[in-house]
């Protein structure tokens, strides 16, 4: 971008960024954008608008979404987003294709997380199914999530851990975690890699697809799938982005490092890489896991054509190119207008709520070795903003239109003037207005807020 840097941006950093991008082609060739949500106190449309502007300016740039949870890309590829169907296609573009394969598709675009919680809080929805989700810990607006779970007539939690949200469910269905079941994972570049089962799930835990199949049967809708192999065959047969990615290809040794989908859009030429030598005495069990952890290859799972793995992958590319021509087009990023943020209040501070690597997430909480790494929450402000109160105390009350929280504060010159940083999903060290344990930044954020503005006042020890 030409011109001076925006307000609050270091001019030296701005110049370095311009120099680094000067080598990119006119369409953005060679540019890789790692895109995430830097603050949960900003509405998601702020990040979406930034991505839209970058995609318009650099149509050839590559985008890598920095998503928090494992295999979120795989879930999105399978249509677990409003208005989407499996294979990176929209309901409007692919509804006819899937209606022919399945007999029916949703009548319209579904609700996002905020819409579902608002519908429960308003009494518009009757049943909530939590598929490994914890709105009380993960959704930015804690007050809305709390109201939704309180007013939901019936809640079913499908989870491997008893998260705060699952603990309030009417029914909890335990499922196997990632190393207790086979399947695939999809990383941020769209690389699909098979994952093998390493342990047997304890107790009565089922795999997720088994729970889905049983629930569908109880509702009178058979899924017609008796195994993971059946499910993958249907994915390859119907999902446009997965054309040509059959089990024969995915389980071939040449695909050990995964395949970037769609094959038609991203041709691959795989060669078996020789693994680094492993000392079986120094690292017992690693080589056995590498060789035996992947799904067994037998019968139809063996590559066709006598085991020529590269030929199988090359043939899959050809199949994908032919199949893609007859399938619905893949989704293109829509243009998202930049939201209008309210002007800065001279008496307020803009809240920045970032995630930490170690927080109050249930996967950290249940592990004794990790739970001790969660540091108490502290508000961080520029020294001038902290000294402006004049009392010298480090205990402050932050109040927004949604709620308030009392927390220790510390001066940090790296924090921009006019902002206050408070970690998200770290409750330790915070108090609510009534003196009860607080919920960290989640107690200050409203789901509909474009930005969150807070007022700060000192609290005597």
């Amino acid at each position: 971008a030409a011109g001076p840097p925006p307000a609050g941006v270091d001019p030296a950093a701005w110049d370095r960024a311009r120099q680094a991008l000067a080598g990119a082609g006119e369409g953005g060739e060679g540019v890789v954008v790692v895109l995430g949500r830097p603050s949960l106190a900003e509405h998601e449309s702020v990040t979406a608008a930034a991505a839209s502007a970058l995609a318009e300016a650099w149509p050839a740039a590559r985008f890598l979404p920095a998503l928090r949870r494992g295999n979120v890309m795989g879930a999105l590829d399978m249509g677990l987003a409003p208005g989407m169907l499996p294979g990176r296609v929209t309901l409007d573009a692919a509804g006819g294709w899937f209606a022919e394969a399945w007999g029916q598709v949703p009548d319209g675009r579904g609700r996002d997380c905020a819409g579902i919680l608002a519908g429960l809080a308003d009494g518009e929805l009757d049943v909530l199914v939590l598929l490994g989700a914890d709105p009380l810990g993960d959704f930015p607006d804690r007050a809305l999530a709390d109201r939704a779970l309180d007013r939901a007539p019936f809640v079913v939690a499908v989870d491997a851990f008893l998260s705060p949200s699952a603990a309030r469910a009417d029914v909890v269905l335990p499922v196997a975690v990632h190393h207790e079941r086979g399947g695939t994972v999809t990383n941020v570049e769209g690389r699909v890699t098979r994952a093998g089962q390493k342990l047997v799930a304890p107790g009565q835990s089922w795999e997720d697809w088994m729970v889905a199949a049983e629930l569908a049967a109880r509702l009178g809708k058979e899924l017609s799938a008796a195994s993971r192999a059946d499910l993958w065959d249907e994915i390859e047969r119907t999902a446009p982005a997965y054309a040509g990615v059959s089990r024969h290809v995915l389980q071939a040794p040449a695909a050990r490092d995964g395949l970037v989908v769609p094959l038609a859009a991203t041709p691959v030429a795989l060669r078996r890489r020789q693994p680094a030598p492993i000392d079986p005495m120094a690292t017992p069990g690693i080589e056995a896991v590498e060789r035996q952890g992947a799904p067994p290859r037998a019968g139809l799972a063996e590559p066709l054509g006598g085991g020529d793995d590269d030929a199988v992958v090359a043939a899959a590319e050809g199949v994908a190119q032919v199949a893609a021509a007859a399938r619905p087009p893949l989704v293109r990023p829509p243009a998202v207008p930049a939201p209008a943020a309210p002007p800065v209040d001279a008496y307020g501070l803009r809240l920045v709520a970032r995630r930490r690597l170690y927080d109050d997430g249930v996967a950290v909480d249940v592990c004794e070795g990790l739970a001790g790494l969660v540091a108490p929450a502290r508000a961080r402000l520029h020294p001038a903003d902290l000294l402006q109160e004049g009392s010298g105390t480090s205990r402050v009350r932050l109040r927004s239109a949604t709620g308030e929280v009392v927390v220790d504060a510390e001066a940090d010159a790296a924090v921009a003037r006019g902002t206050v940083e408070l970690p998200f999903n770290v409750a330790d060290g915070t108090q609510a207005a009534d003196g009860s344990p607080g919920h960290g930044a989640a107690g200050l954020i409203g789901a509909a807020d474009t930005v969150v503005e807070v007022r700060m006042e000192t609290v005597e020890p």
Side-chain angles (χ1 to χ4, degrees), residues 34-114:
V34 180
L35 190 71
R37 191 174 177 182
S39 172
L40 277 79
E42 290 182 347
H43 196 269
E44 57 193 19
S45 60
V46 176
T47 302
S52 179
L54 290 171
E56 182 179 358
W58 292 323
R62 297 182 62 198
F63 287 79
L64 301 180
L67 302 173
R68 175 175 177 257
R69 287 177 172 245
N71 208 25
V72 173
M73 287 298 300
L76 295 175
D77 274 3
M78 294 300 104
L80 295 184
M84 297 297 295
L85 288 170
R88 304 182 190 176
V89 294
T90 63
L91 177 61
D92 295 336
W97 169 268
F98 280 93
E100 183 176 351
W102 292 348
Q104 66 180 40
V105 293
D107 296 330
R109 179 186 177 92
R111 303 181 185 222
D112 59 9
C113 182

XYZ file of all heavy atoms in Angstrom, residues 34-114:
581
model
N -1.318 -15.347 6.238
C -1.769 -16.126 7.386
C -2.789 -15.265 8.124
O -2.445 -14.233 8.699
C -0.611 -16.506 8.317
C -1.114 -17.318 9.505
C 0.449 -17.293 7.545
N -4.041 -15.687 8.073
C -5.132 -14.830 8.510
C -5.831 -15.434 9.714
O -6.235 -16.593 9.698
C -6.146 -14.658 7.365
C -7.235 -13.618 7.565
C -6.637 -12.222 7.484
C -8.315 -13.774 6.519
N -5.946 -14.660 10.762
C -6.649 -15.106 11.955
C -7.416 -13.963 12.578
O -7.438 -12.845 12.050
N -8.045 -14.248 13.692
C -8.817 -13.231 14.405
C -7.967 -12.738 15.561
O -7.860 -13.400 16.586
C -10.133 -13.828 14.897
C -11.140 -12.810 15.417
C -12.458 -13.496 15.727
N -13.429 -12.578 16.289
C -14.637 -12.940 16.687
N -15.006 -14.209 16.587
N -15.469 -12.051 17.185
N -7.337 -11.577 15.420
C -6.374 -11.144 16.438
C -7.002 -10.791 17.768
O -6.335 -10.840 18.796
C -5.708 -9.924 15.793
C -6.721 -9.416 14.821
C -7.450 -10.613 14.307
N -8.274 -10.407 17.763
C -8.933 -10.033 19.006
C -10.385 -10.464 18.958
O -11.112 -10.133 18.014
C -8.851 -8.513 19.240
O -9.649 -8.128 20.354
N -10.826 -11.206 19.978
C -12.216 -11.617 20.042
C -13.116 -10.484 20.493
O -14.336 -10.631 20.521
C -12.386 -12.821 20.970
C -12.098 -14.171 20.314
C -10.593 -14.412 20.225
C -12.741 -15.317 21.070
N -12.524 -9.339 20.848
C -13.311 -8.160 21.187
C -13.666 -7.359 19.949
O -14.327 -6.319 20.064
C -12.549 -7.287 22.183
N -13.225 -7.788 18.779
C -13.645 -7.220 17.505
C -14.573 -8.204 16.816
O -14.366 -9.418 16.881
C -12.442 -6.936 16.600
C -11.558 -5.802 17.068
C -10.417 -5.564 16.099
O -10.184 -6.421 15.230
O -9.758 -4.526 16.223
N -15.586 -7.697 16.144
C -16.533 -8.570 15.455
C -15.820 -9.327 14.345
O -14.861 -8.827 13.739
C -17.689 -7.742 14.875
C -18.882 -8.556 14.496
N -19.040 -9.086 13.232
C -19.952 -8.954 15.214
C -20.175 -9.767 13.182
N -20.755 -9.708 14.368
N -16.299 -10.542 14.077
C -15.663 -11.373 13.050
C -15.690 -10.720 11.669
O -14.837 -11.000 10.819
C -16.376 -12.724 12.979
C -17.858 -12.608 12.698
C -18.612 -13.887 12.937
O -18.089 -14.766 13.651
O -19.727 -14.009 12.412
N -16.636 -9.812 11.435
C -16.717 -9.145 10.131
C -15.513 -8.250 9.879
O -15.191 -7.951 8.719
C -18.010 -8.329 10.027
O -18.067 -7.341 11.051
N -14.827 -7.823 10.936
C -13.626 -7.005 10.750
C -12.543 -7.814 10.051
O -11.920 -7.364 9.080
C -13.126 -6.478 12.117
C -11.814 -5.716 11.947
C -14.174 -5.595 12.770
N -12.318 -9.040 10.529
C -11.329 -9.913 9.892
C -11.783 -10.321 8.500
O -10.977 -10.378 7.566
C -11.100 -11.162 10.758
O -10.671 -10.757 12.063
C -10.032 -12.063 10.148
N -13.079 -10.623 8.335
C -13.597 -11.027 7.020
C -13.430 -9.906 6.002
O -13.094 -10.155 4.836
C -15.058 -11.423 7.142
N -13.664 -8.667 6.420
C -13.504 -7.538 5.506
C -12.045 -7.363 5.099
O -11.736 -7.054 3.934
C -14.034 -6.261 6.152
N -11.119 -7.576 6.048
C -9.695 -7.484 5.720
C -9.307 -8.562 4.722
O -8.568 -8.303 3.759
C -8.860 -7.597 6.995
N -9.804 -9.787 4.920
C -9.509 -10.874 3.975
C -10.072 -10.570 2.607
O -9.440 -10.841 1.570
C -10.080 -12.187 4.513
N -11.270 -10.010 2.566
C -11.898 -9.677 1.287
C -11.092 -8.621 0.536
O -10.888 -8.719 -0.680
C -13.323 -9.180 1.538
O -13.955 -8.815 0.329
N -10.602 -7.615 1.249
C -9.806 -6.568 0.605
C -8.489 -7.125 0.072
O -8.057 -6.774 -1.039
C -9.547 -5.435 1.596
N -7.842 -8.007 0.833
C -6.586 -8.602 0.375
C -6.813 -9.498 -0.843
O -6.016 -9.497 -1.785
C -5.954 -9.406 1.516
C -5.402 -8.603 2.693
C -5.021 -9.534 3.840
C -4.203 -7.770 2.261
N -7.892 -10.279 -0.825
C -8.178 -11.162 -1.956
C -8.483 -10.376 -3.216
O -8.134 -10.791 -4.329
C -9.352 -12.083 -1.604
N -9.131 -9.232 -3.065
C -9.426 -8.397 -4.235
C -8.160 -7.753 -4.785
O -7.974 -7.655 -6.008
C -10.443 -7.321 -3.852
C -10.860 -6.429 -5.015
C -11.888 -5.399 -4.612
O -12.308 -5.390 -3.427
O -12.280 -4.587 -5.474
N -7.284 -7.323 -3.898
C -6.043 -6.687 -4.340
C -5.061 -7.698 -4.906
O -4.331 -7.390 -5.863
C -5.406 -5.925 -3.176
N -5.015 -8.911 -4.333
C -4.069 -9.946 -4.748
C -4.820 -11.242 -5.034
O -4.853 -12.157 -4.208
C -3.025 -10.194 -3.660
C -2.089 -9.052 -3.437
C -1.567 -8.214 -4.367
C -1.554 -8.641 -2.180
N -0.735 -7.301 -3.787
C -0.705 -7.539 -2.430
C -1.700 -9.092 -0.871
C -0.021 -6.879 -1.422
C -1.024 -8.441 0.134
C -0.182 -7.352 -0.137
N -5.444 -11.366 -6.175
C -6.233 -12.575 -6.472
C -5.404 -13.846 -6.532
O -5.948 -14.944 -6.374
C -6.884 -12.251 -7.825
C -6.039 -11.159 -8.412
C -5.523 -10.374 -7.264
N -4.096 -13.740 -6.756
C -3.249 -14.930 -6.849
C -2.600 -15.284 -5.510
O -1.871 -16.277 -5.438
C -2.159 -14.725 -7.904
N -2.857 -14.515 -4.471
C -2.263 -14.800 -3.164
C -2.901 -16.040 -2.563
O -4.039 -16.402 -2.864
C -2.437 -13.608 -2.236
N -2.154 -16.710 -1.700
C -2.650 -17.877 -0.972
C -3.000 -17.464 0.447
O -2.284 -16.686 1.077
C -1.608 -18.989 -0.946
C -1.231 -19.544 -2.302
C -0.238 -20.671 -2.155
N -0.809 -21.777 -1.402
C -0.072 -22.734 -0.832
N 1.249 -22.685 -0.913
N -0.653 -23.721 -0.180
N -4.099 -18.002 0.955
C -4.564 -17.682 2.297
C -4.509 -18.935 3.161
O -5.018 -19.992 2.777
C -5.996 -17.141 2.260
C -6.103 -15.746 1.724
C -6.055 -15.504 0.357
C -6.230 -14.666 2.578
C -6.143 -14.227 -0.144
C -6.314 -13.372 2.086
C -6.270 -13.149 0.723
N -3.891 -18.802 4.330
C -3.831 -19.885 5.302
C -4.575 -19.427 6.558
O -4.112 -18.534 7.263
C -2.383 -20.239 5.657
C -1.485 -20.677 4.501
C -0.089 -21.002 5.022
C -2.064 -21.865 3.760
N -5.754 -19.998 6.825
C -6.521 -19.563 7.992
C -5.930 -20.096 9.287
O -5.744 -21.303 9.450
C -7.918 -20.145 7.730
C -7.659 -21.339 6.858
C -6.459 -21.014 6.029
N -5.624 -19.191 10.208
C -5.076 -19.575 11.502
C -6.238 -19.854 12.447
O -6.691 -18.974 13.182
C -4.174 -18.473 12.048
N -6.742 -21.078 12.403
C -7.879 -21.479 13.225
C -7.392 -22.145 14.501
O -6.347 -22.796 14.518
C -8.786 -22.420 12.440
C -9.336 -21.822 11.130
C -10.081 -22.866 10.333
C -10.235 -20.634 11.425
N -8.177 -22.029 15.566
C -7.695 -22.427 16.876
C -7.728 -23.925 17.090
O -6.788 -24.510 17.610
C -8.536 -21.735 17.953
C -8.201 -22.185 19.369
C -8.968 -21.374 20.387
N -8.696 -21.840 21.744
C -9.528 -22.583 22.454
N -10.680 -22.942 21.931
N -9.221 -22.959 23.667
N -8.800 -24.598 16.716
C -8.969 -26.006 17.054
C -8.439 -26.918 15.965
O -8.389 -26.552 14.799
C -10.446 -26.312 17.307
C -10.946 -25.752 18.621
C -12.430 -26.019 18.790
N -12.880 -25.655 20.116
C -13.340 -26.505 21.012
N -13.419 -27.782 20.717
N -13.735 -26.099 22.197
N -8.090 -28.149 16.367
C -7.607 -29.123 15.405
C -8.707 -29.590 14.468
O -9.849 -29.803 14.870
N -8.354 -29.729 13.200
C -9.227 -30.255 12.151
C -10.467 -29.401 11.920
O -11.500 -29.908 11.442
C -9.650 -31.694 12.439
C -9.945 -32.468 11.159
O -9.444 -32.145 10.090
N -10.777 -33.479 11.252
N -10.412 -28.122 12.230
C -11.523 -27.236 11.891
C -11.697 -27.165 10.371
O -12.817 -27.122 9.858
C -11.292 -25.828 12.469
C -12.351 -24.856 11.973
C -11.310 -25.875 13.986
N -10.580 -27.188 9.632
C -10.680 -27.161 8.173
C -11.422 -28.387 7.657
O -12.200 -28.309 6.709
C -9.281 -27.090 7.550
C -8.613 -25.741 7.692
S -9.508 -24.408 6.875
C -9.498 -24.979 5.176
N -11.180 -29.548 8.274
C -11.906 -30.745 7.870
C -13.396 -30.608 8.105
O -14.221 -31.026 7.282
N -13.782 -30.001 9.238
C -15.200 -29.787 9.526
C -15.825 -28.831 8.524
O -16.944 -29.064 8.035
C -15.359 -29.256 10.954
N -15.119 -27.761 8.178
C -15.642 -26.820 7.186
C -15.768 -27.483 5.826
O -16.734 -27.237 5.082
C -14.730 -25.598 7.103
C -14.663 -24.724 8.359
C -13.639 -23.618 8.170
C -16.029 -24.133 8.682
N -14.801 -28.314 5.460
C -14.874 -29.030 4.191
C -16.074 -29.965 4.126
O -16.584 -30.269 3.052
C -13.593 -29.833 3.961
C -12.498 -29.014 3.310
O -12.725 -27.813 3.085
O -11.416 -29.567 3.042
N -16.524 -30.438 5.270
C -17.684 -31.330 5.307
C -19.000 -30.575 5.453
O -20.051 -31.170 5.681
C -17.539 -32.344 6.441
C -16.392 -33.323 6.236
S -16.565 -34.316 4.708
C -15.366 -33.494 3.631
N -18.961 -29.255 5.319
C -20.193 -28.478 5.284
C -20.702 -27.995 6.612
O -21.849 -27.539 6.693
N -19.893 -28.032 7.676
C -20.351 -27.605 8.995
C -20.203 -26.096 9.152
O -19.489 -25.585 10.020
C -19.588 -28.350 10.092
C -19.821 -29.859 10.144
C -19.089 -30.477 11.328
C -21.299 -30.178 10.237
N -20.884 -25.359 8.288
C -20.920 -23.900 8.325
C -22.210 -23.463 7.650
O -22.698 -24.145 6.733
C -19.700 -23.292 7.625
N -22.791 -22.354 8.055
C -24.062 -21.918 7.463
C -23.965 -21.723 5.956
O -23.029 -21.086 5.456
C -24.338 -20.581 8.168
C -23.573 -20.655 9.438
C -22.353 -21.460 9.139
N -24.919 -22.302 5.237
C -24.975 -22.125 3.782
C -23.998 -22.960 3.004
O -23.896 -22.793 1.791
N -23.271 -23.881 3.663
C -22.278 -24.694 2.978
C -22.709 -26.154 2.958
O -23.434 -26.629 3.819
C -20.926 -24.578 3.676
C -20.332 -23.190 3.680
S -19.969 -22.564 2.021
C -18.689 -23.722 1.525
N -22.226 -26.874 1.932
C -22.417 -28.305 1.800
C -21.043 -28.960 1.669
O -20.048 -28.261 1.426
C -23.275 -28.620 0.573
C -24.767 -28.269 0.700
C -25.463 -28.401 -0.643
C -25.454 -29.141 1.742
N -20.925 -30.271 1.847
C -19.611 -30.913 1.778
C -18.898 -30.654 0.458
O -19.501 -30.661 -0.613
C -19.944 -32.406 1.935
C -21.194 -32.421 2.734
C -21.979 -31.226 2.267
N -17.599 -30.414 0.566
C -16.786 -30.252 -0.640
C -16.556 -28.834 -1.064
O -16.263 -28.565 -2.228
N -16.692 -27.861 -0.144
C -16.397 -26.448 -0.428
C -17.328 -25.870 -1.480
O -16.888 -25.154 -2.395
C -14.934 -26.276 -0.845
C -13.935 -26.811 0.158
C -12.507 -26.560 -0.278
N -11.580 -27.279 0.571
C -10.257 -27.309 0.369
N -9.737 -26.645 -0.655
N -9.467 -27.996 1.175
N -18.592 -26.149 -1.374
C -19.592 -25.591 -2.278
C -20.725 -25.015 -1.442
O -20.979 -25.441 -0.316
C -20.140 -26.651 -3.261
C -19.064 -27.113 -4.219
C -20.727 -27.834 -2.506
N -21.428 -24.037 -2.020
C -22.523 -23.408 -1.298
C -23.824 -24.164 -1.548
O -23.970 -24.908 -2.522
C -22.697 -21.952 -1.746
O -23.046 -21.919 -3.137
C -21.416 -21.164 -1.530
N -24.775 -23.943 -0.670
C -26.089 -24.555 -0.817
C -26.762 -24.097 -2.104
O -27.404 -24.892 -2.799
C -26.955 -24.190 0.397
C -28.401 -24.679 0.406
C -28.461 -26.193 0.361
C -29.136 -24.138 1.624
N -26.601 -22.824 -2.449
C -27.232 -22.304 -3.665
C -26.658 -22.955 -4.921
O -27.384 -23.244 -5.877
C -27.055 -20.782 -3.746
C -27.788 -20.061 -2.628
O -28.765 -20.638 -2.107
O -27.372 -18.939 -2.272
N -25.324 -23.192 -4.924
C -24.678 -23.724 -6.124
C -24.792 -25.235 -6.232
O -24.808 -25.777 -7.338
C -23.204 -23.310 -6.151
N -24.862 -25.932 -5.112
C -24.767 -27.392 -5.135
C -25.994 -28.096 -4.589
O -25.987 -29.321 -4.460
C -23.541 -27.837 -4.343
N -27.051 -27.340 -4.278
C -28.224 -27.972 -3.708
C -28.810 -29.049 -4.601
O -29.193 -30.132 -4.138
N -28.862 -28.796 -5.912
C -29.410 -29.786 -6.836
C -28.561 -31.040 -6.914
O -29.081 -32.160 -6.987
N -27.234 -30.865 -6.890
C -26.309 -32.000 -6.961
C -26.505 -32.925 -5.765
O -26.602 -34.147 -5.908
C -24.877 -31.466 -7.015
C -23.797 -32.497 -6.843
C -23.207 -32.867 -5.677
C -23.189 -33.292 -7.859
N -22.245 -33.828 -5.908
C -22.214 -34.106 -7.242
C -23.351 -33.368 -9.244
C -21.425 -34.992 -7.953
C -22.562 -34.261 -9.949
C -21.610 -35.069 -9.315
N -26.563 -32.352 -4.573
C -26.714 -33.171 -3.379
C -28.148 -33.677 -3.205
O -28.357 -34.731 -2.620
C -26.260 -32.390 -2.144
C -24.774 -32.372 -1.974
C -24.000 -31.348 -2.487
C -24.136 -33.403 -1.311
C -22.629 -31.347 -2.350
C -22.756 -33.408 -1.151
C -22.000 -32.385 -1.680
N -29.123 -32.928 -3.691
C -30.500 -33.417 -3.629
C -30.658 -34.677 -4.463
O -31.379 -35.611 -4.085
C -31.461 -32.335 -4.107
N -29.965 -34.737 -5.581
C -30.016 -35.936 -6.419
C -29.331 -37.113 -5.729
O -29.772 -38.264 -5.843
C -29.345 -35.653 -7.764
C -29.412 -36.824 -8.737
C -28.816 -36.474 -10.080
O -28.504 -35.286 -10.327
O -28.635 -37.399 -10.909
N -28.248 -36.824 -4.990
C -27.517 -37.903 -4.313
C -28.196 -38.327 -3.019
O -28.189 -39.506 -2.667
C -26.082 -37.452 -4.028
N -28.758 -37.377 -2.290
C -29.303 -37.648 -0.968
C -30.827 -37.699 -0.906
O -31.386 -38.197 0.060
C -28.826 -36.575 0.022
C -27.362 -36.629 0.310
C -26.488 -37.622 -0.017
C -26.595 -35.644 1.003
N -25.229 -37.317 0.420
C -25.263 -36.100 1.060
C -26.888 -34.418 1.581
C -24.235 -35.387 1.661
C -25.886 -33.700 2.181
C -24.567 -34.180 2.228
N -31.475 -37.123 -1.897
C -32.935 -37.061 -1.867
C -33.464 -35.744 -1.360
O -34.553 -35.319 -1.748
N -32.718 -35.046 -0.516
C -33.128 -33.743 -0.015
C -31.934 -33.010 0.569
O -30.917 -33.634 0.916
C -34.216 -33.865 1.055
C -33.750 -34.543 2.340
C -34.858 -34.644 3.366
O -36.007 -34.915 3.023
N -34.527 -34.412 4.624
N -32.054 -31.704 0.652
C -31.035 -30.843 1.250
C -31.753 -29.823 2.119
O -32.981 -29.682 2.051
C -30.183 -30.134 0.172
C -29.342 -31.125 -0.604
C -31.062 -29.327 -0.767
N -31.023 -29.076 2.955
C -31.693 -28.043 3.763
C -32.448 -27.046 2.904
O -32.056 -26.724 1.782
C -30.525 -27.377 4.508
C -29.469 -28.434 4.567
C -29.597 -29.213 3.297
N -33.557 -26.545 3.446
C -34.382 -25.585 2.705
C -33.720 -24.220 2.590
O -34.002 -23.472 1.652
C -35.747 -25.426 3.392
C -36.555 -26.715 3.363
O -36.368 -27.497 2.405
O -37.359 -26.937 4.290
N -32.872 -23.868 3.522
C -32.235 -22.564 3.485
C -30.988 -22.540 4.343
O -30.633 -23.520 4.992
N -30.337 -21.398 4.320
C -29.100 -21.218 5.078
C -29.376 -21.332 6.571
O -30.333 -20.759 7.100
C -28.515 -19.840 4.751
C -27.225 -19.504 5.487
C -26.840 -18.062 5.201
N -25.648 -17.667 5.946
C -24.413 -17.760 5.492
N -24.207 -18.242 4.282
N -23.379 -17.371 6.211
N -28.544 -22.067 7.279
C -28.716 -22.235 8.716
C -28.137 -21.074 9.501
O -27.624 -20.103 8.942
N -28.219 -21.170 10.807
C -27.717 -20.132 11.701
C -26.259 -20.395 12.064
O -25.828 -21.544 12.130
C -28.535 -20.092 12.995
C -30.020 -19.880 12.809
C -30.699 -19.844 14.162
N -32.140 -19.764 14.050
C -32.902 -18.977 14.811
N -32.341 -18.210 15.738
N -34.211 -18.965 14.668
N -25.541 -19.323 12.319
C -24.197 -19.486 12.855
C -24.290 -19.651 14.372
O -25.391 -19.729 14.939
C -23.307 -18.307 12.468
C -23.844 -16.973 12.973
O -24.814 -16.967 13.761
O -23.298 -15.925 12.577
N -23.147 -19.711 15.043
C -23.143 -19.962 16.482
C -23.903 -18.883 17.233
O -24.724 -19.180 18.113
C -21.701 -20.059 16.984
S -21.548 -20.442 18.751
N -23.657 -17.624 16.891
C -24.350 -16.533 17.577
C -25.852 -16.620 17.337
O -26.654 -16.374 18.245
C -23.806 -15.181 17.105
